[in-house]
Amino acid sequence: MIWQYCFPLLLLQAGAQSGEWTMRALPCRAIRKSCVVIPCTFDFPSRPYTAVHGAWFKYWNYWKYTVYYTRDHNYGMAGFKGRAEIVGNLEDKDCSLRINHLRSEDSDVYYFYVELDGFETYTYIPPVQLHVLDVPDKPEISIPETLSEGTPVSILCKALYPCPDQRPSLTWSELSNSTIIVLGEKTSGDISTVLNFTPSVAHHGQTVRCTVDYFDTSHRLANSVTLNVTYSPRNTVVEWNFKEANRISLRCSSDANPSVTSFSWFKVTHGVETDLRRGSQNITVHLESEKATTSYSCTATNALGSSRSAPVRVHRHRRWLQSGRRSPAAQHYLSDCPVLAQKQY
């Protein structure tokens, strides 16, 4: 059985019996100037016969449209002489047809005809469709719907591979901490390569490109996808901004994908923590007495998890109250606990 290069052959349907006039094939796509092998299997009633011969007709099952005839290789349409050949073994009921140096006008339907010497002749219907592309399609990229941080995934890139003698080259763009596997050709008439990696935050937003090169036709085509990696909140911090003498605006900032869906705020005064039960990203706090030390922290939550910030200590400073405007001592209004770089928004 030859290697099959087009789309998968139809399987026998449930209840179908062998020994009937049946042919199994599916439409094929190929590339102009290249070649194609149209996979074909056939069957016929069990009767004695002395020899088996076959022919392929283009457009209509009539001899003047003969593409190739096993009984007389020189018989047929002038445009197919030297280009077409039945490469399957008819004794094995393999009627596969190969056409070289494809032309645009080769796009058509093709009929298979069998001669069973001492028994009968038969033309199989329906015919098989061949579509010759002037320019091959871009490679097809299949990527999981969800890329989760820390969960290994595989991205598949697939391209048309109709000609057994002209194996195209598939390459991936560079992606850190990844491995590449090129899959052997299958009965689908495609060639595939798999990019394996474990998504991380560093991969989020990166573009991955797959390129196919057809050396026999000088075609190069590429396709790309942008990675969307989901991860729980991280780098959660409390940002601040002075509003007036006795009020400070605090904002909870976090990096997450999908976006943060809820925020929680916590206040610690004299070692006692209070859940403020506020779900907004921003809160405004009033400064306590100059002897009181109050810390604020927040938690950011999305569908994948939560992240809590380090506490930020807030207290009132006498010079601020006297001046009513920001002074060089403004840094004393907000300080970090235990160690956190202050961040203003």
Side-chain angles (χ1 to χ4, degrees):
M1 187 74 172
I2 65 165
W3 190 90
Q4 296 171 348
Y5 297 93
C6 288
F7 293 84
L9 293 181
L10 290 173
L11 299 178
L12 284 173
Q13 298 179 355
Q17 301 295 322
S18 61
E20 300 175 353
W21 295 104
T22 57
M23 185 187 75
R24 293 169 293 278
L26 282 179
C28 285
R29 294 182 306 145
I31 307 169
R32 187 170 63 89
K33 296 183 180 181
S34 187
C35 83
V36 67
V37 173
I38 301 175
C40 166
T41 61
F42 68 103
D43 205 351
F44 48 85
S46 298
R47 297 289 190 277
Y49 65 91
T50 57
V52 57
H53 294 280
W56 280 91
F57 305 132
K58 179 186 177 183
Y59 175 66
W60 187 243
N61 55 326
Y62 195 68
W63 286 104
K64 71 177 182 178
Y65 301 117
T66 301
V67 173
Y68 187 79
Y69 183 32
T70 58
R71 193 185 291 273
D72 183 355
H73 299 175
N74 294 317
Y75 185 87
M77 299 171 66
F80 284 99
K81 287 184 179 179
R83 291 200 303 129
E85 178 185 7
I86 292 179
V87 292
N89 187 337
L90 297 180
E91 292 288 350
D92 293 333
K93 300 180 179 180
D94 184 346
C95 46
S96 299
L97 172 69
R98 174 174 176 138
I99 305 175
N100 297 315
H101 310 297
L102 285 166
R103 305 166 183 174
S104 297
E105 57 267 28
D106 292 336
S107 290
D108 216 319
V109 293
Y110 291 79
Y111 291 83
F112 177 64
Y113 162 90
V114 66
E115 291 179 352
L116 299 170
D117 290 353
F119 175 35
E120 195 170 344
T121 64
Y122 190 84
T123 301
Y124 292 88
I125 55 174
V128 61
Q129 174 76 53
L130 172 62
H131 182 47
V132 179
L133 305 170
D134 290 331
V135 178
D137 298 330
K138 291 181 179 181
E140 177 184 337
I141 297 179
S142 299
I143 185 170
E145 184 175 347
T146 301
L147 302 179
S148 301
E149 180 186 23
T151 302
V153 297
S154 298
I155 303 178
L156 176 72
C157 180
K158 182 173 63 175
L160 185 64
Y161 178 20
C163 182
D165 304 335
Q166 303 294 337
R167 182 188 180 103
S169 171
L170 277 175
T171 55
W172 287 99
S173 59
E174 185 175 347
L175 186 69
S176 60
N177 300 318
S178 63
T179 59
I180 297 174
I181 300 175
V182 178
L183 300 181
E185 52 269 18
K186 296 183 178 181
T187 57
S188 63
D190 298 318
I191 185 172
S192 302
T193 179
V194 177
L195 181 69
N196 298 309
F197 71 107
T198 300
S200 67
V201 176
H203 292 130
H204 180 62
Q206 289 192 24
T207 298
V208 177
R209 179 180 298 270
C210 179
T211 303
V212 59
D213 287 287
Y214 294 96
F215 301 109
D216 57 331
T217 60
S218 301
H219 287 110
R220 164 174 279 200
L221 300 104
N223 201 356
S224 62
V225 294
T226 299
L227 303 181
N228 181 27
V229 181
T230 59
Y231 51 93
S232 61
R234 63 199 57 226
N235 303 324
T236 303
V237 296
V238 174
E239 300 173 340
W240 56 271
N241 190 29
F242 291 108
K243 300 191 71 173
E244 53 188 53
N246 63 342
R247 293 195 304 166
I248 295 178
S249 177
L250 303 180
R251 182 171 71 182
C252 188
S253 176
S254 185
D255 177 24
N257 186 37
S259 300
V260 173
T261 54
S262 65
F263 298 91
S264 300
W265 286 94
F266 303 91
K267 172 183 176 181
V268 177
T269 303
H270 301 303
V272 178
E273 180 177 274
T274 303
D275 184 349
L276 298 180
R277 300 190 180 280
R278 299 183 188 177
S280 62
Q281 185 177 9
N282 299 277
I283 65 171
T284 299
V285 301
H286 295 269
L287 300 177
E288 306 297 335
S289 66
E290 60 181 14
K291 293 183 180 180
T293 298
T294 303
S295 297
Y296 290 87
S297 63
C298 69
T299 297
T301 302
N302 70 359
L304 302 178
S306 301
S307 172
R308 184 164 178 170
S309 73
V312 172
R313 188 171 64 236
V314 178
H315 61 90
R316 189 169 62 177
H317 190 275
R318 181 175 302 169
R319 183 174 178 181
W320 174 272
L321 294 175
Q322 292 174 347
S323 65
R325 59 182 182 272
R326 189 170 300 182
S327 70
Q331 60 183 352
H332 297 298
Y333 283 86
L334 189 81
S335 57
D336 301 332
C337 176
V339 177
L340 179 66
Q342 297 179 11
K343 189 175 182 181
Q344 187 175 6
Y345 71 92

